[in-house]
Amino acid sequence: MLRRVLLVDDEAAMRSALKRQLRATEYEVLVAGSGKEALDILAATEVQVVVSDVRMPEMTGDVLMTRIKHQYPEVVGILLTGYAELNAVIRVLNEGAVFRFLQKPWEPEALLDCLHDAFVCWQEKQQVNDQHTYLENHEHALLETDAEGRTLYVNQKAVRLLNINEDISGAPLEAVLPMLRPEQLLYLASGEQRQLEVQDKTNGQMLRVSSQALHSERRMFRVEKLFELDTLAIPELLSRQELLYQLDRLLLSSGEPVTAIYLDINGFRRFNDSLGYQQADRLLAMIAAELLKAKPEGASLGRMSGDEFALFIAGGFSLADICGQLEAMLLPFHDLIHFAGRELHVAFRVGYARSPVDGQDADELLRNAQVAANTASRGGRRTVVCYQQHMNTHDSEFVSLQSDLYRSLERDQLFVLYQPKVSMPDGRIAGAEALIRWEHGTRGVISPSVFIPMAEENGLIDPIGDWVLAAASAQKRIWEAQQVPDFVLSVNLSGRQLEDDALLDRVRDLIQQNALHASQIELEITETFLMQDISHSLELLRGLKALGVRLAIDDFGTGYSSLNYLHQLPVDTLKIDRSFVTGLGQNHEAFELVKNIIHLSHDMGKRVVAEGVETREQLDILTGLQCDEIQGFFFSPPVSADSFRELLENQPLIMLDVTTEGAVPARI
Ligand code: C2E
Ligand code: CA
Ligand code: CA
């Protein structure tokens, strides 16, 4: 490398003398007669050291050095001075604008020594510069400390990541990395290389801090942001990424199987709608806090997305074990939750998967637990499901079925069957339930228990629900025109339809269009839906009631045992769920429960319908308990509109005092 010195002096004799002294050296010498000329040369040529006289007209040497320091910080300056200029020299020395000064007259040796040192100084500056460029361009936040942990340097990445907004040179490490506890700082400051992960609670980041001892007792700290933390502002609740990350680490380190459990809140959309997003977030936070409190020991819980949580725990548990642990964890949700002046019922669909069989890494394991959760029923019976491989293969079938469902309406593949509700004890048809069917082109008739949940998931329930309402209303009109005996026609409403503000108008329009008697239309709403948010349900039911239609609670007994709330709800009918009817001849609890439901409903002036009555024994017990209406295969399965008309014309369906062996055979 060429070593260039620029000599600056206004006196030509001095310039020549200096030049002479440097003639036999390795340095290339340039000269300038003034400060201005020196700056011009610096602008055009690379120079490492500038030697300048102090006393010069226009621009003095000290002023020149200050300018050079600002414009060319890497250049090293030497001043030549007499006694009179000492003050000016001290000033620039203190500023760091000058490396050294030589007092006139100087020994030639002294000048050469001084120049040598100046070039060494330039080289060192160069190295520091290189290092700083390296550090500044580094992909991670970096900071350097001295042996006492005082900060010497931070790069721009660190300034941004750690949100540093003041000069921190010399500041102790704990001021720059306040998220670290004293023992963590001690740990990082010891040994050749150290690393740990910490959570920065101020901004919800997960950080990895590593430290390395450098020569001359310095230490370099590297800070990496691993991921953002959850938004519910609960430190113990892991974010999705964090959960995946920790689960992966457990899977790598743990020799035993790991169980991942996925929890999906049933119909949380509804809470979003009725509470608004902000409140719904608070509800989520409250739910998360409850889950955290009651989670199994050693389990980590995180939020996967809006209303979905997941936890994992070392060990491969049996379904019984999982159910036991979950029961304890979900216990707080057995009761209604008091929130924002409302009483809400929160229920979950749960799926789980176990490593290594159901997944090798976090992503796969959690995805399969989620797949299992999605197959769990919303109704309350099969709510915990273990992942099985066929679930994923079913997935593609599911997808194709789903796309077929989109076309079912335009292809006119949907139709409605009607199942009679027989009034007791006279055997007359008091009502009919409209039950939808899907005639799939290649798969035959598909059950609504398969495609209604699908339609709820993908939003098709809105048009499909509309279609059923319209089809049933039109059919009712036809029957009325045929002057068949009066009866109440029931239509099922799904939760999602009930969330639709347009529902009231829709029902009103259909009744008007078909010139129906509103009191001969009944809407069936599931208990699980009604109990989710009582005050919201109340409002909705009152609106529907104002149209004059009848209302029934469907699947009664499967959701939250809501007898206490029943009197508040403006419903006309309770439908006892089939599971209790099935249990009637078999266990005493079912009998007691059905008896209580019937008594209580009658006390409140509501009618009771028993669903799924298949045997004579069930019928007899129910009649004995004064159940008002019977629906089930015992009398008739759901049948076509024409067959239903025949049933209407052949009333009564059963003469209890005459028949002992069974009812009139069902006809389709
Ligand atoms: P659900 O409202 O509880 O309807 C009663 C179900 O029990 C019907 O099943 C009916 O066929 C069946 N059932 C009636 N009597 C008996 C019996 O004696 N034994 C047995 N084992 N089953 C009996 P289906 O028609 O398959 O409907 C299943 C569910 O699909 C319904 O349960 C309802 O939740 C839903 N669904 C049906 N149609 C509609 C609809 O138009 N809209 C909506 N949103 N949901 C519907
Ligand atoms: Ca129903
Ligand atoms: Ca039902």
Side-chain angles (χ1 to χ4, degrees):
M1 186 201 63
L2 199 57
R3 304 182 154 205
R4 254 193 215 119
V5 182
L6 172 60
L7 303 173
V8 193
D9 203 313
D10 59 318
E11 291 167 55
M14 280 300 286
R15 292 199 296 270
S16 314
L18 276 165
K19 229 180 150 170
R20 207 167 35 248
Q21 282 180 17
L22 298 179
R23 190 188 297 146
T25 65
E26 72 212 90
Y27 306 122
E28 183 186 298
V29 179
L30 306 175
V31 290
S34 69
K36 184 178 174 312
E37 201 182 323
L39 288 172
D40 288 345
I41 291 174
L42 284 172
T45 325
E46 194 187 343
V47 170
Q48 289 91 37
V49 178
V50 176
V51 180
S52 172
D53 186 21
V54 175
R55 191 177 325 169
M56 294 188 292
E58 289 161 23
M59 193 189 297
T60 55
D62 56 304
V63 172
L64 172 65
M65 287 300 172
T66 306
R67 303 260 307 250
I68 290 176
K69 185 196 173 207
H70 287 132
Q71 275 175 271
Y72 310 99
E74 68 283 359
V75 171
V76 182
I78 298 173
L79 277 179
L80 304 171
T81 151
Y83 276 114
E85 298 101 19
L86 221 54
N87 279 341
V89 172
I90 289 169
R91 180 181 66 79
V92 280
L93 271 176
N94 284 343
E95 267 179 16
V98 165
F99 168 63
R100 224 170 261 176
F101 68 96
L102 279 177
Q103 216 166 329
K104 292 174 185 172
W106 59 85
E107 296 290 324
E109 284 299 310
L111 174 65
L112 291 178
D113 282 351
C114 191
L115 273 177
H116 174 266
D117 292 351
F119 274 99
V120 171
C121 170
W122 178 86
Q123 240 159 1
E124 279 173 357
K125 271 194 186 183
Q126 209 57 35
Q127 276 166 7
V128 170
N129 268 348
D130 284 352
Q131 200 199 353
H132 276 194
T133 328
Y134 166 75
L135 296 177
E136 276 309 323
N137 293 334
H138 200 281
E139 61 170 317
H140 295 306
L142 297 172
L143 54 116
E144 203 181 315
T145 65
D146 63 13
E148 272 77 53
R150 281 185 298 255
T151 311
L152 298 173
Y153 164 80
V154 291
N155 69 2
Q156 277 309 306
K157 287 227 168 62
V159 168
R160 283 194 299 270
L161 180 67
L162 302 169
N163 210 2
I164 297 171
N165 43 25
E166 51 201 277
D167 181 15
I168 44 90
S169 53
L173 200 54
E174 58 259 39
V176 188
L177 299 171
M179 72 296 281
L180 290 170
R181 294 195 304 275
E183 70 272 17
Q184 292 177 316
L185 281 167
L186 267 178
Y187 170 77
L188 283 171
S190 63
E192 273 296 300
Q193 277 189 324
R194 292 288 192 235
Q195 181 170 312
L196 50 80
E197 275 141 36
V198 284
Q199 198 170 310
D200 185 353
K201 290 185 182 151
T202 53
N203 54 11
Q205 292 175 341
M206 189 72 186
L207 304 176
R208 176 186 293 148
V209 186
S210 4
S211 89
Q212 190 178 4
L214 304 177
H215 63 281
S216 63
E217 300 205 41
R218 292 181 174 192
R219 207 163 244 289
M220 180 68 78
F221 290 81
R222 192 180 73 188
V223 188
E224 285 167 82
K225 179 169 125 178
L226 294 176
F227 39 74
E228 301 271 339
L229 293 172
D230 204 88
T231 47
L232 290 180
I234 303 174
E236 299 82 23
L237 184 68
L238 307 178
S239 69
R240 177 195 177 85
Q241 275 167 302
E242 212 177 345
L243 189 98
L244 283 165
Y245 174 77
Q246 289 198 8
L247 177 55
D248 259 334
R249 292 197 9 162
L250 180 65
L251 286 167
L252 283 176
S253 66
S254 156
E256 51 175 341
V258 175
T259 302
I261 302 173
Y262 215 91
L263 300 154
D264 180 1
I265 301 177
N266 265 349
F268 196 80
R269 240 177 62 102
R270 172 137 197 243
F271 295 130
N272 271 337
D273 290 351
S274 65
L275 299 169
Y277 282 102
Q278 235 171 348
Q279 289 276 40
D281 263 5
R282 282 190 44 224
L283 175 64
L284 273 177
M286 186 173 137
I287 292 171
E290 289 291 345
L291 290 175
L292 275 169
K293 255 192 276 171
K295 74 178 164 62
E297 212 171 298
S300 306
L301 180 84
R303 183 179 176 207
M304 296 304 283
S305 69
D307 59 347
E308 292 172 12
F309 296 89
L311 68 152
F312 64 84
I313 184 163
F317 300 97
S318 68
L319 177 60
D321 284 344
I322 301 262
C323 286
Q325 307 209 29
L326 283 170
E327 200 159 312
M329 180 161 154
L330 301 180
L331 196 65
F333 303 100
H334 283 194
D335 292 327
L336 289 178
I337 286 183
H338 295 267
F339 180 83
R342 291 164 186 259
E343 285 162 309
L344 309 174
H345 185 235
V346 176
F348 299 85
R349 290 193 297 168
V350 184
Y352 71 97
R354 288 167 295 194
S355 77
V357 202
D358 303 335
Q360 311 267 358
D361 60 25
D363 200 54
E364 194 185 2
L365 201 59
L366 282 168
R367 210 181 42 236
N368 287 337
Q370 183 183 18
V371 167
N374 285 343
T375 65
S377 70
R378 291 175 182 277
R381 270 185 290 266
R382 217 168 67 100
T383 51
V384 181
V385 173
C386 176
Y387 172 74
Q388 276 149 16
Q389 250 154 28
H390 68 78
M391 289 175 175
N392 262 325
T393 45
H394 268 194
D395 247 2
S396 57
E397 238 177 82
F398 183 85
V399 169
S400 86
L401 203 58
Q402 212 170 25
S403 60
D404 289 346
L405 188 57
Y406 275 97
R407 274 168 227 113
S408 64
L409 276 164
E410 61 194 52
R411 290 183 182 162
D412 203 18
Q413 292 173 331
L414 301 177
F415 62 100
V416 182
L417 296 182
Y418 300 88
Q419 185 177 34
K421 298 176 188 173
V422 180
S423 132
M424 282 294 133
D426 63 9
R428 298 201 63 83
I429 296 177
E433 177 174 6
L435 292 159
I436 192 171
R437 295 290 178 270
W438 174 18
E439 170 69 74
H440 185 279
T442 52
R443 290 171 202 252
V445 177
I446 295 180
S447 156
S449 357
V450 172
F451 72 86
I452 292 289
M454 214 183 247
E456 278 175 347
E457 209 77 52
N458 64 19
L460 273 178
I461 192 66
D462 295 328
I464 291 180
D466 269 1
W467 180 86
V468 181
L469 270 172
S473 312
Q475 183 57 51
K476 184 77 166 87
R477 179 184 197 164
I478 295 173
W479 280 321
E480 284 184 9
Q482 293 169 341
Q483 298 189 318
V484 298
D486 267 357
F487 66 92
V488 175
L489 180 61
S490 307
V491 179
N492 291 286
L493 289 184
S494 91
R496 198 160 154 158
Q497 282 173 282
L498 291 157
E499 283 160 12
D500 188 350
D501 294 334
L503 178 71
L504 287 184
D505 291 338
R506 181 84 181 133
V507 173
R508 186 189 297 115
D509 288 351
L510 283 170
I511 290 171
Q512 273 170 10
Q513 274 168 27
N514 296 296
L516 303 175
H517 302 284
S519 63
Q520 291 199 2
I521 299 293
E522 186 170 64
L523 301 174
E524 295 190 7
I525 304 171
T526 61
E527 182 194 14
T528 332
F529 176 84
L530 285 178
M531 289 303 145
Q532 264 179 22
D533 182 347
I534 307 262
S535 41
H536 186 248
S537 296
L538 259 177
E539 205 176 302
L540 179 85
L541 295 183
R542 287 193 185 123
L544 286 168
K545 206 65 223 158
L547 299 177
V549 297
R550 297 169 60 88
L551 296 173
I553 303 186
D554 208 350
D555 302 344
F556 189 81
T558 58
Y560 179 72
S561 49
S562 53
L563 293 176
N564 301 336
Y565 295 86
L566 214 52
H567 66 276
Q568 293 184 30
L569 300 176
V571 296
D572 308 275
T573 311
L574 282 185
K575 297 189 76 177
I576 303 178
D577 190 67
R578 182 158 67 88
S579 56
F580 303 110
V581 173
T582 310
L584 266 185
Q586 297 160 6
N587 64 69
H588 192 65
E589 291 95 71
F591 176 83
E592 281 298 312
L593 202 109
V594 170
K595 187 175 88 181
N596 285 338
I597 293 177
I598 295 176
H599 283 174
L600 218 104
S601 314
H602 286 168
D603 285 350
M604 290 184 287
K606 300 185 197 307
R607 285 176 76 75
V608 182
V609 178
E611 295 189 290
V613 178
E614 293 179 355
T615 68
R616 180 62 197 240
E617 187 192 13
Q618 292 164 352
L619 175 69
D620 288 343
I621 296 173
L622 287 161
T623 321
L625 291 173
Q626 260 126 51
C627 183
D628 303 288
E629 287 171 33
I630 302 294
Q631 180 182 351
F633 295 169
F634 181 78
F635 285 120
S636 167
V639 296
S640 69
D642 288 341
S643 303
F644 187 73
R645 188 179 156 199
E646 273 180 54
L647 288 177
L648 284 169
E649 284 161 355
N650 283 306
Q651 300 195 60
L653 287 195
I654 185 173
M655 252 77 80
L656 278 178
D657 37 357
V658 186
T659 321
T660 46
E661 275 309 294
V664 175
R667 280 173 296 171
I668 302 186

